[in-house]
Amino acid sequence: MPSKPLGPPPSPFADQLRQAQHSAVHLEMRDWYAVDAEKGPFADWRAGVRYDPADRASWWRPWLDLVAEAVGRGVAIRRARIVSEPVSEYIHYEHSGTFTNVAAGEQVRWLPRRQASDISLPGNDFWLFDGRLVRWNHFAGDGASGGPEVTEDPHMARLCASAFEAVWERAIPHEQYEIR
């Protein structure tokens, strides 16, 4: 059953997170993303730049303010990443900076793709807000953003909730996941 967009265009992500009351879960399933906002930081990382956890001012950014604000309101934010091993260079980059997400209050886990073979997964990455609003993240083959799509279809929300919880149950907490 195709999802039904809520209208043109979806509201900005920040608004959706600000409206969340209880939970926001994010499932990432790609080994490579080429979203514009990350091109510079990824290039810097490739050149050897690393965040210093002790120098918070150097890595704190507006996204983390948004997360910390939501968590401060009691919204549980969980992110799960399904990754191929050995991991891609991009996933290695994501892993190295994930401590910033955790510092803002996100819970993050990693699941090796081989351990996800028997989990029914939707075809796209998504955010699920309060178990009812799904924000699909579409990507082109090269990792560029294809734009979001939003639905409140209960069937889609249940599919995403079930997939996320199955992944979360098996996934390894960020602090314990070792890059392979």
Side-chain angles (χ1 to χ4, degrees), residues 156-175:
M156 295 295 153
R158 282 191 303 275
L159 169 69
C160 290
S162 175
F164 184 86
E165 293 305 329
V167 169
W168 189 258
E169 183 178 304
R170 292 183 190 179
I172 302 162
H174 174 69
E175 297 78 15

Side-chain angles (χ1 to χ4, degrees), residues 5-135:
L6 288 178
S11 64
F13 174 83
D15 291 346
Q16 292 166 336
L17 186 54
R18 285 185 186 107
Q19 292 167 9
Q21 296 177 16
H22 308 290
S23 65
V25 300
H26 185 34
L27 183 61
E28 298 178 2
M29 299 180 283
R30 296 178 56 90
D31 288 320
W32 187 268
Y33 296 88
V35 292
D36 290 339
E38 291 184 355
K39 287 181 181 176
F42 181 51
D44 292 344
W45 181 86
R46 290 175 101 184
V49 174
R50 299 295 184 268
Y51 293 136
D52 176 358
D55 184 12
R56 181 179 167 128
S58 70
W59 49 262
W60 195 265
R61 55 197 186 279
W63 160 252
L64 300 173
D65 285 328
L66 183 62
V67 170
E69 185 275 327
V71 170
R73 289 187 290 108
V75 176
I77 301 178
R78 298 183 294 159
R79 178 187 307 257
R81 293 177 170 142
I82 299 174
V83 296
S84 299
E85 291 181 329
V87 300
S88 68
E89 182 181 32
Y90 184 86
I91 294 300
H92 194 230
Y93 154 73
E94 276 193 330
H95 186 271
S96 75
T98 295
F99 76 89
T100 66
N101 300 73
V102 173
E106 272 191 61
Q107 300 171 60
V108 181
R109 292 187 181 181
W110 304 80
L111 182 65
R113 193 169 308 281
R114 287 182 178 269
Q115 295 177 27
S117 296
D118 63 341
I119 299 174
S120 294
L121 298 166
N124 295 290
D125 290 10
F126 63 85
W127 279 90
L128 176 63
F129 300 97
D130 293 329
R132 63 164 192 80
L133 182 115
V134 179
R135 181 181 180 104

